[in-house]
Amino acid sequence: MYDYLIVGSGMFGAVCAQKLKSLGFNVLVIDKRSHIGGNVYTENHDGIHIHKYGAHIFHTNDKEIWDYVNSFVEFNRFTNSPLAKYKGKLYNLPFNMNTFYQLWGTQTPQEAINKINSQKGNVADQIPGNLEEQAISLVGRDIYETLIKGYTEKQWGRNATDLPAFIINRLPVRFTFDNNYFSDKYQGIPVEGYTRLIEKLLENIEVRLNVDYLKDRQAYSNLAKKVIYTGAIDEYYSYQFGALEYRSLKFEHERFENTPNYQGNAVINYTEREVPYTRIIEHKHFNYSETKHTVITKEYPAEWKIGDEAYYPVNDEKNMALLKKYKKLAKEEKDVYFGGRLAEYKYYDMHQVIRSALYFVKENLAE
Ligand code: FAD
Ligand code: UDP
C-alpha cells in the first residue's frame, strides 16, 4: 500500500513526489506516456538535447524556486532572445528599442513612445477588453499588425478580438535596447537537459510508464491511500459537462548532418499568418554543443479534439464557466487531489507549476 499514487510524471507530479518522499511518504508515480517529464521531456541526440514538446526556458523571480531546481541539477546561463520574421525581415523580440528602430527608425525612448501613442486610436481611452485592444494599447497598430496579429491568430485559431487580454501580457514591452524575452532575475536551461532534472526529482521513487490511470482507475486507486491527479480535469469526469477547449501543436523535427548552425539563434518566430508554423527552434543553441549536425523543430498550431495532446488551455469566459463546474465536483472528492497545467486548466510556466506543487504539498498533504 502506497501513501500516494501520483498520476503524471510531469513537473507537477515529479515535484510532489520528491517533496512527499523527502517527508517520509511512500509514493508511486504512473504516466501514460512512454517517458517521464511530461512536456518538459528532452532527449539526447548525439550531444544535442532535443526539447520534444517545444522550447522550454526556465525563468523565475523566485529565489526559493531557483535554489530548489539548482539543488538537483546545474543550469547554464541561457538568455532567451528570440527573433521574429515577417515578410523576409527580422525583428528583435520582445518589443523593445531595437524592434522600434527596425520598424520605424526611432532612436530615443520618447520618439518610440510618441509613435506608439499616435497609433492607439480609440483604445487609448478604454480598458482593453480583448487581446487586440490590449496589444494596440501597449505597442500601437504597426507592431500589432506585423508581429502579433498573424502569430496570435494562427497560434490560437481564433480572432485576436475573441482572446483574453492576459495572453499578450506575458511579453514585456521595453524602452531600452534589451532583447531578453523575460524580465525575471533567474534564467537558464539544465546543462544535462530537463529529463535529467525530472530523473533527479524522481530518484528512488517507483515509476510505472505506459499506464493510463483512467483506463483502470479503481485498480490503481486501490494501491494508495490518496491520489494526486495531474491529467485533464474534464477527462477525469468523462467530459460529462462537455470538453474544455485546448490548442494543440504538431512538432516536425528535422536533423541536418554537416550543418553545424542552421539559423544562428535558438528561436525564430514566424509572425505572418500565411506561414503555417509559429516558430522554428534550433536546439543546440539552448546549450551550445560543438557538433557537425543540428536538429530543428517546426511548431505547427493545431485544432485540439478529444484524444489529442492538450497543450494550451483556452481560458476564455465560456471555458472558465465550464471549468467551474468540474472544479465543484473535484472539491467534493475525498482523497483525490488535482494539480498542474491540465488538472487546473491553467497556462502555467514551469516555475509556477513548481511553486504550486510545493505549496500544495505544504497546505494539503504534509500531515
Ligand atoms: P504536464 O507536463 O502536461 O504533465 C502531465 C503528465 O500527466 C503527462 O506526462 C501526461 O502523460 C500524464 N497524464 C495525463 N493523464 C494521465 C493519465 N490518465 N494516466 C497517466 N498519466 C497521465 N514553461 C516555462 O516555464 N518555460 C517555457 O519556455 C515553456 N515553454 C512551453 C512551450 C510549450 C510548447 C508548452 C506546451 C509549454 C511550455 N511551458 C513552458 C509550460 C510547461 O510545459 C508546463 O508548465 C509544465 O510542463 C506543466 O507540468 P505539469 O506536470 O502540470 O503538466
Ligand atoms: N505572441 C505574438 N508574437 C510573437 C510571440 C508571441 O503575438 O512573436 C503572442 C501570442 O499571442 C502568444 C503570446 O504572445 O500566444 C504569448 O507568447 P509566449 O512566447 O509567451 O508563448 P508560449 O511560449 O507560451 O507559446
Side-chain angles (χ1 to χ4, degrees):
M1 188 77 173
Y2 296 91
D3 296 308
Y4 289 97
L5 169 72
I6 301 183
V7 181
S9 64
M11 198 61 98
F12 192 93
V15 169
C16 286
Q18 185 280 328
K19 211 63 208 167
L20 288 165
K21 167 101 183 163
S22 76
L23 292 166
F25 292 103
N26 194 9
V27 177
L28 170 65
V29 177
I30 59 172
D31 204 298
K32 65 180 176 186
R33 296 188 189 176
S34 59
H35 59 73
I36 56 169
N39 290 340
V40 310
Y41 173 68
T42 49
E43 211 169 74
N44 190 339
H45 283 224
D46 301 320
I48 302 175
H49 295 289
I50 309 299
H51 298 215
K52 286 292 266 197
Y53 300 93
H56 277 76
I57 300 111
F58 200 96
H59 58 95
T60 182
N61 258 325
D62 188 331
K63 185 162 186 325
E64 195 187 327
I65 299 298
W66 184 241
D67 289 344
Y68 177 75
V69 290
N70 277 273
S71 72
F72 296 98
V73 293
E74 185 193 344
F75 277 68
N76 69 13
R77 48 173 288 278
F78 179 80
T79 299
N80 195 26
S81 43
L83 293 159
K85 200 169 193 172
Y86 180 78
K87 295 200 192 291
K89 221 185 140 193
L90 290 169
Y91 298 90
N92 287 110
L93 291 174
F95 314 121
N96 74 81
M97 288 299 291
N98 288 310
T99 331
F100 308 144
Y101 177 68
Q102 288 149 355
L103 205 61
W104 302 315
T106 48
Q107 297 191 359
T108 65
Q110 196 55 53
E111 281 171 27
I113 289 167
N114 293 346
K115 191 82 190 171
I116 289 171
N117 284 342
S118 75
Q119 297 191 355
K120 287 188 182 175
N122 50 11
V123 303
D125 318 313
Q126 61 197 47
I127 297 169
N130 58 53
L131 195 150
E132 175 172 298
E133 290 172 8
Q134 178 72 352
I136 293 172
S137 80
L138 286 172
V139 287
R141 193 162 275 282
D142 283 350
I143 291 188
Y144 172 66
E145 301 282 353
T146 314
L147 302 177
I148 299 175
K149 186 173 164 45
Y151 186 101
T152 295
E153 294 192 342
K154 66 182 164 180
Q155 164 77 351
W156 294 96
R158 286 160 177 76
N159 292 331
T161 45
D162 295 331
L163 286 164
F166 83 87
I167 294 176
I168 202 68
N169 295 344
R170 287 170 60 83
L171 273 59
V173 179
R174 286 202 200 102
F175 293 91
T176 53
F177 291 90
D178 177 0
N179 298 327
N180 184 349
Y181 201 59
F182 303 112
S183 300
D184 290 344
K185 252 195 237 165
Y186 310 103
Q187 186 173 170
I189 308 260
V191 171
E192 293 178 77
Y194 286 96
T195 303
R196 185 77 192 117
L197 169 61
I198 302 289
E199 277 169 5
K200 293 288 278 185
L201 290 168
L202 295 176
E203 210 161 62
N204 300 320
I205 292 172
E206 188 181 342
V207 179
R208 298 187 198 168
L209 297 173
N210 302 305
V211 174
D212 187 337
Y213 170 71
L214 297 179
K215 293 221 164 101
D216 206 358
R217 76 171 84 184
Q218 205 47 56
Y220 275 96
S221 298
N222 288 344
L223 295 178
K225 293 179 199 151
K226 294 181 182 183
V227 176
I228 300 172
Y229 175 83
T230 75
I233 189 167
D234 52 349
E235 191 182 2
Y236 183 93
Y237 290 109
S238 311
Y239 307 104
Q240 60 180 270
F241 303 128
L244 290 162
E245 288 174 297
Y246 283 92
R247 280 301 276 172
S248 194
L249 295 170
K250 298 272 179 285
F251 298 105
E252 195 178 282
H253 307 285
E254 286 174 80
R255 175 174 168 143
F256 302 106
E257 304 307 327
N258 301 319
T259 307
N261 192 356
Y262 175 84
Q263 63 179 16
N265 204 38
V267 184
I268 300 190
N269 290 356
Y270 287 75
T271 56
E272 275 164 80
R273 187 73 186 81
E274 294 71 27
V275 177
Y277 40 86
T278 47
R279 47 193 172 193
I280 300 184
I281 60 176
E282 186 174 13
H283 302 268
K284 72 187 317 180
H285 297 301
F286 288 120
N287 194 15
Y288 199 76
S289 55
E290 292 283 339
T291 57
K292 288 205 180 95
H293 70 292
T294 194
V295 180
I296 64 157
T297 301
K298 289 182 180 146
E299 216 171 285
Y300 293 83
E303 208 43 65
W304 175 87
K305 56 183 181 343
I306 291 175
D308 294 344
E309 284 297 346
Y311 290 109
Y312 294 97
V314 182
N315 296 105
D316 60 11
E317 273 176 35
K318 186 179 96 187
N319 285 293
M320 294 314 278
L322 187 54
L323 175 66
K324 243 185 178 169
K325 293 190 185 178
Y326 285 116
K327 276 176 106 172
K328 199 163 167 246
L329 290 184
K331 231 178 160 181
E332 285 156 17
E333 295 283 347
K334 206 176 155 304
D335 297 333
V336 183
Y337 302 87
F338 294 77
R341 219 185 205 211
L342 298 168
E344 293 178 68
Y345 194 63
K346 263 195 184 161
Y347 192 169
Y348 267 142
D349 277 331
M350 290 179 280
H351 59 291
Q352 296 164 327
V353 155
I354 295 172
R355 166 54 65 211
S356 159
L358 292 175
Y359 178 80
F360 173 73
V361 170
K362 191 162 167 247
E363 288 302 300
N364 297 296
L365 309 175
E367 330 74 63

